[in-house]
Amino acid sequence: MKMNEYQITYVAYDLMNKKPLNGEAVKTILEVATEQHPNASIVYSRWGDYYLKINDKPNAITSYQKAIALDPTDQQSKEILDSLTK
């Protein structure tokens, strides 16, 4: 499965918002996204979303920090990170 970073993270995001959550499928897609696009901010932002969804705040914070490090203009990740660290 070779997609650009936006296509593959959209698939993960779509799966994340279906009920019931298939966490293993989301995680697998995000792992592929990370392998294919290791320097894409959106991939780490989606990891953050995934970790929030499963209530893993420490890993969510780390993921959003990585997203911002890769793209300092990522306002959405900054806002979420701010809300998690207050």
Side-chain angles (χ1 to χ4, degrees):
M1 173 167 63
K2 182 71 173 160
M3 299 180 195
N4 72 38
E5 63 267 29
Y6 298 102
Q7 293 168 321
I8 197 165
T9 57
Y10 178 80
V11 172
Y13 185 78
D14 190 46
L15 279 174
M16 239 184 288
N17 291 299
K18 290 193 188 280
K19 303 266 191 233
L21 173 66
N22 184 343
E24 284 304 310
V26 174
K27 189 175 176 185
T28 299
I29 290 170
L30 289 174
E31 287 169 348
V32 171
T34 304
E35 288 173 17
Q36 292 181 1
H37 307 285
N39 297 313
S41 171
I42 188 71
V43 172
Y44 295 95
S45 182
R46 289 299 164 256
W47 271 113
D49 297 342
Y50 167 74
Y51 287 126
L52 278 183
K53 193 80 159 175
I54 64 168
N55 298 312
D56 184 345
K57 186 176 172 180
N59 278 319
I61 289 169
T62 300
S63 295
Y64 290 121
Q65 287 171 333
K66 175 78 173 179
I68 295 164
L70 290 168
D71 178 7
T73 67
D74 183 350
Q75 279 306 119
Q76 183 177 9
S77 290
K78 284 180 181 180
E79 290 171 12
I80 297 169
L81 183 60
D82 285 345
S83 73
L84 292 173
T85 56
K86 286 185 177 177

